[in-house]
Amino acid sequence: MYPRKRGLGKALSAVLLASLATAPATLARSDAFSLHGTPALPEGFSHFPHVNPDAPLGSCSLRSVLQGSFDTLNPFTLRGRFVMGVWSWVYETLMVDSPEEPLVAYGHLAEKAELDEAAGVIRFTLREQARWHDGRPVTAEDLVFSATLLGSKGRPHFRAAMAGVRLEQLDGRSVAFHLPAGTTPTQARDRMTRLGSFFVLPKHYWEGRDFTALTMDPPLGSGPYRVTAVEPGRRVVFDRVEDWWARDLPTGRGRWTIARMEVQYLRDRVAALEAVLADRADMMREMDPRRWATGYDAEAVRSGAVRKVEQPHWYVTGMNGFAFNLRRAPFDDVRVRQALAGLLDFDWANKALFHGAFRRTSSYFSNSPMAAVEAPDAAERAAMAEFPELFPPEAYDAAWTPPPTDGSGRDRAALERAIALLEQAGWVLDDRGRMVNRATGQPLRFSVLAQSTAQQALLTVWFRGLRRIGIEPSLEVLDAAAFTDRQRKREFDLIYRFIIGSSWPGEEQRSYWGSGGPNNLSGFASPGVDTLLDRLVRAEGVDEMQRSARLLDRALQWQWLTVPSYYEPNRLTALRDRYAWPARAPAYAYGDDAWWCKEN
């Protein structure tokens, strides 16, 4: 709770694509859909701008190597560890997301996508030429079967998209999705976006099979690749479908030209890197910036046989950090949360441990125009004044930032600020140098819950700062099952959490931050934040959505709900020098689909 700022009366500029407008869209065309605005590519466009439409169909392979293992080839349920290539290469969706525009999709399996907002009906018409790998046509019966199956047994986002929807098969290629009564135009457009990303599965393959079971059976799909070999837990081979039905579609031309995709699983990333350097594999994603900076001094890299490729992340990186459980004292006191967060010397850690590779997470919508990273303008200050309990006086004049340090690892000023805040909250240093509650004498101690040691280096730095003022922290690392159980029961002091945001946030934000939201791990409950969430969900147009998201971001930031960690701004890839791609990178994808073999 904060006192009201008295005497209230640099606008954030959003860089928007020229194709977007602030007014709600109506469906002026059936081959594409934009949640807001107009699709940038014209009807009858020949190919996506980031691809080479004349890319040759190569004869080479791409051998990717990953850490870990897998136990199923079904990616559509929560059970098991699946192979991403099945999702990406074997199956296809009704519409394909634009690599150049946020929340714009173009028809792929669906020839037409029509929305009747007044009637609350969405209609998809499948392409007549769409074929499964066995040559049979993709039909409306397949679509009804898939939507029903995914909506009842699929992953949660499939179930949410189908909630309350009634299906009607209109003919052999068309299906109507009748939305629940009372669906608003905004909700209908949102549902259109979600349903357009639905995968279509072959009824004649899946009927009679246990959809929820782990399986190593090669799946039947309609995409550019088929599974041709499986070594359970170790290796999957995907061969290009030479007569892929969508090869000459605008959404297929110039894409997926490599002859074979092979995915290998190894015990650790050191072994994965060794495989690439020794030419036993072609590609790996590097997750350790320290190794990226110092571990690639090898002849294969020096000679150019292996390339180090850095690509900026295009998605909303969100909030990565350690979330307080406000259901437990003393974390229900914002002064305690602020004091503890201020003792993490990220600047020193990034320089000394991570070779300066990371950026500090500073927003719940990091890496997007929705991030509140500049001081509020007059309109935002006026809106903030409606919720004085959410914002301290300094919030009206400056953007929130994670507490800075001098980067020395011995910032005395940071310690003094933390001690002062804790004293205001009733915590003092006793004669033994312990931070204790003034009234009870109880020491201030807590644990951080995690399911891996990935953040241990940063936590060690934070714990060192905490111990310097008599606080007793600890780390609990649990296996996935135990971690999930404790998380579900909310049995933790702090918990490691990484929330990747949506490019158009909506109802899922209520789940994270709304009073009583099912994914509200912090337990923070505020009528003011609930109101801000209502405004965000109802936002019409990009400008209003971004303003609403920034205001929500500011409210969450100033409540100090999280000790921010860091994120890697780039995707790091070690790659054998056998592949080429267009110079033009897509705005909302990495562009792997546009690679081709240099040999051709």
Side-chain angles (χ1 to χ4, degrees):
M1 299 287 288
Y2 291 112
R4 179 180 293 274
K5 169 80 172 180
R6 296 183 181 274
L8 283 177
K10 167 170 148 192
L12 278 172
S13 61
V15 180
L16 302 178
L17 293 171
S19 63
L20 297 179
T22 58
T26 56
L27 283 188
R29 51 194 281 195
S30 61
D31 68 312
F33 176 75
S34 174
L35 187 62
H36 289 272
T38 303
L41 300 178
E43 291 189 61
F45 73 97
S46 64
H47 59 276
F48 284 130
H50 76 287
V51 308
N52 172 10
D54 300 318
L57 291 180
S59 58
C60 71
S61 298
L62 176 61
R63 299 166 298 171
S64 302
V65 60
L66 303 174
Q67 179 184 359
S69 183
F70 66 94
D71 56 15
T72 187
L73 295 181
N74 179 4
F76 300 112
T77 73
L78 289 175
R79 189 176 181 191
R81 294 162 293 174
F82 69 92
V83 181
M84 182 61 76
V86 178
W87 187 295
S88 309
W89 303 325
V90 175
Y91 289 106
E92 297 180 298
T93 52
L94 290 166
M95 307 187 78
V96 172
D97 289 340
S98 170
E100 303 292 342
E101 311 152 82
L103 294 169
V104 174
Y106 294 89
H108 186 68
L109 279 171
E111 179 180 67
K112 292 182 180 180
E114 302 166 293
L115 169 62
D116 185 337
E117 292 180 356
V121 178
I122 297 168
R123 287 181 291 273
F124 291 105
T125 300
L126 298 169
R127 294 185 189 272
E128 188 172 4
Q129 68 267 42
R131 290 291 185 273
W132 301 112
H133 293 158
D134 63 3
R136 296 176 62 166
V138 181
T139 67
E141 192 173 1
D142 291 318
L143 177 52
V144 170
F145 174 82
S146 304
T148 302
L149 186 63
L150 293 173
S152 59
K153 297 181 180 180
R155 290 179 173 271
H157 68 280
F158 293 129
R159 300 187 191 201
M162 282 298 295
V165 172
R166 179 175 63 85
L167 296 168
E168 179 187 5
Q169 182 174 332
L170 303 176
D171 56 37
R173 294 194 292 126
S174 300
V175 175
F177 291 70
H178 296 266
L179 304 182
T183 299
T184 67
T186 298
Q187 292 170 334
R189 292 193 296 274
D190 177 73
R191 194 71 73 106
M192 177 85 163
T193 301
R194 297 170 189 270
L195 292 174
S197 66
F198 256 49
F199 290 86
V200 182
L201 284 60
K203 179 180 179 180
H204 64 282
Y205 173 87
W206 279 105
E207 198 168 40
R209 295 174 182 258
D210 183 355
F211 188 66
T212 64
L214 302 179
T215 178
M216 291 292 173
D217 293 341
L220 175 65
S222 62
Y225 294 89
R226 58 163 57 93
V227 174
T228 56
V230 181
E231 294 179 35
R234 297 180 56 192
R235 177 175 171 266
V236 183
V237 176
F238 302 83
D239 281 338
R240 187 179 63 217
V241 176
E242 298 303 328
D243 59 349
W244 180 35
W245 70 274
R247 179 70 62 195
D248 293 322
L249 283 184
T251 51
R253 187 173 289 115
R255 304 177 70 207
W256 309 121
T257 65
I258 294 173
R260 169 171 287 185
M261 302 288 198
E262 183 176 329
V263 182
Q264 308 171 28
Y265 287 82
L266 297 178
R267 64 185 183 277
D268 57 47
R269 293 191 179 277
V270 173
L273 175 57
E274 290 174 352
V276 174
L277 295 176
D279 201 10
R280 297 192 302 272
D282 299 307
M283 181 178 74
M284 68 160 285
R285 306 291 183 210
E286 180 58 80
M287 307 303 291
D288 186 347
R290 292 169 291 187
R291 185 163 54 236
W292 187 254
T294 63
Y296 283 73
D297 185 16
E299 177 57 29
V301 178
R302 291 192 295 269
S303 69
V306 171
R307 301 171 60 182
K308 294 174 67 179
V309 181
E310 298 188 13
Q311 297 171 285
H313 290 312
W314 53 268
Y315 54 84
V316 180
T317 53
M319 175 56 74
N320 177 14
F322 310 100
F324 290 102
N325 186 352
L326 276 61
R327 303 170 188 85
R328 295 185 173 186
F331 311 118
D332 55 346
D333 191 318
V334 68
R335 297 167 297 187
V336 173
R337 301 196 298 271
Q338 182 178 352
L340 299 182
L343 292 170
L344 172 52
D345 193 346
F346 171 78
D347 300 295
W348 180 86
N350 197 32
K351 177 177 61 177
L353 303 179
F354 307 131
H355 300 274
F358 290 129
R359 293 180 186 170
R360 188 82 188 267
T361 302
S362 62
S363 164
Y364 290 86
F365 302 103
S366 293
N367 202 38
S368 81
M370 299 173 287
V373 294
E374 296 183 15
D377 60 20
E380 287 180 295
R381 290 195 297 271
M384 291 163 63
E386 298 178 43
F387 309 97
E389 74 281 5
L390 295 177
F391 302 100
E394 59 267 30
Y396 297 87
D397 301 317
W400 180 91
T401 60
T405 63
D406 64 9
S408 67
R410 301 178 301 276
D411 190 342
R412 186 169 183 82
L415 300 178
E416 292 173 348
R417 287 193 299 269
I419 291 171
L421 283 166
L422 289 168
E423 186 172 0
Q424 294 173 24
W427 295 86
V428 297
L429 285 167
D430 68 5
D431 54 8
R432 296 165 56 187
R434 301 180 307 166
M435 186 64 65
V436 299
N437 185 278
R438 181 186 289 115
T440 67
Q442 179 180 357
L444 179 52
R445 57 171 62 101
F446 64 85
S447 66
V448 177
L449 190 66
Q451 59 177 328
S452 79
T453 59
Q455 295 285 318
Q456 190 164 13
L458 188 66
L459 284 172
T460 298
V461 174
W462 185 32
F463 287 1
R464 183 177 64 194
L466 293 164
R467 291 182 179 120
R468 290 179 69 188
I469 62 169
I471 298 172
E472 303 173 29
S474 62
L475 171 64
E476 289 185 85
V477 179
L478 304 178
D479 61 35
F483 177 87
T484 300
D485 184 62
R486 290 273 296 278
Q487 176 180 267
R488 180 178 57 81
K489 295 177 179 177
R490 307 300 192 249
E491 294 178 353
F492 58 85
D493 296 325
L494 284 88
I495 190 169
Y496 178 67
R497 190 179 198 189
F498 193 175
I499 299 176
I500 296 178
S502 166
S503 56
W504 191 287
E507 287 287 349
E508 81 284 350
Q509 297 298 315
R510 294 190 202 271
S511 172
Y512 296 145
W513 314 116
S515 299
N519 293 309
N520 187 339
L521 292 185
S522 69
F524 179 65
S526 163
V529 167
D530 291 340
T531 299
L532 295 178
L533 289 165
D534 289 339
R535 294 180 182 179
L536 176 60
V537 171
R538 295 198 308 266
E540 295 282 359
V542 175
D543 286 344
E544 183 181 351
M545 178 276 291
Q546 291 182 349
R547 286 194 302 270
S548 299
R550 282 194 294 269
L551 192 58
L552 174 64
D553 196 23
R554 295 187 195 281
L556 299 175
Q557 290 170 332
W558 286 105
Q559 292 301 313
W560 299 88
L561 303 176
T562 305
V563 181
S565 182
Y566 54 75
Y567 70 96
E568 164 58 58
N570 298 307
R571 186 178 76 158
L572 311 176
T573 305
L575 182 70
R576 301 294 302 188
D577 190 26
R578 296 191 174 106
Y579 313 96
W581 50 84
R584 186 187 190 283
Y588 291 93
Y590 294 116
D592 301 1
D593 58 328
W595 292 9
W596 66 86
C597 303
K598 279 187 175 182
E599 66 183 30
N600 300 100

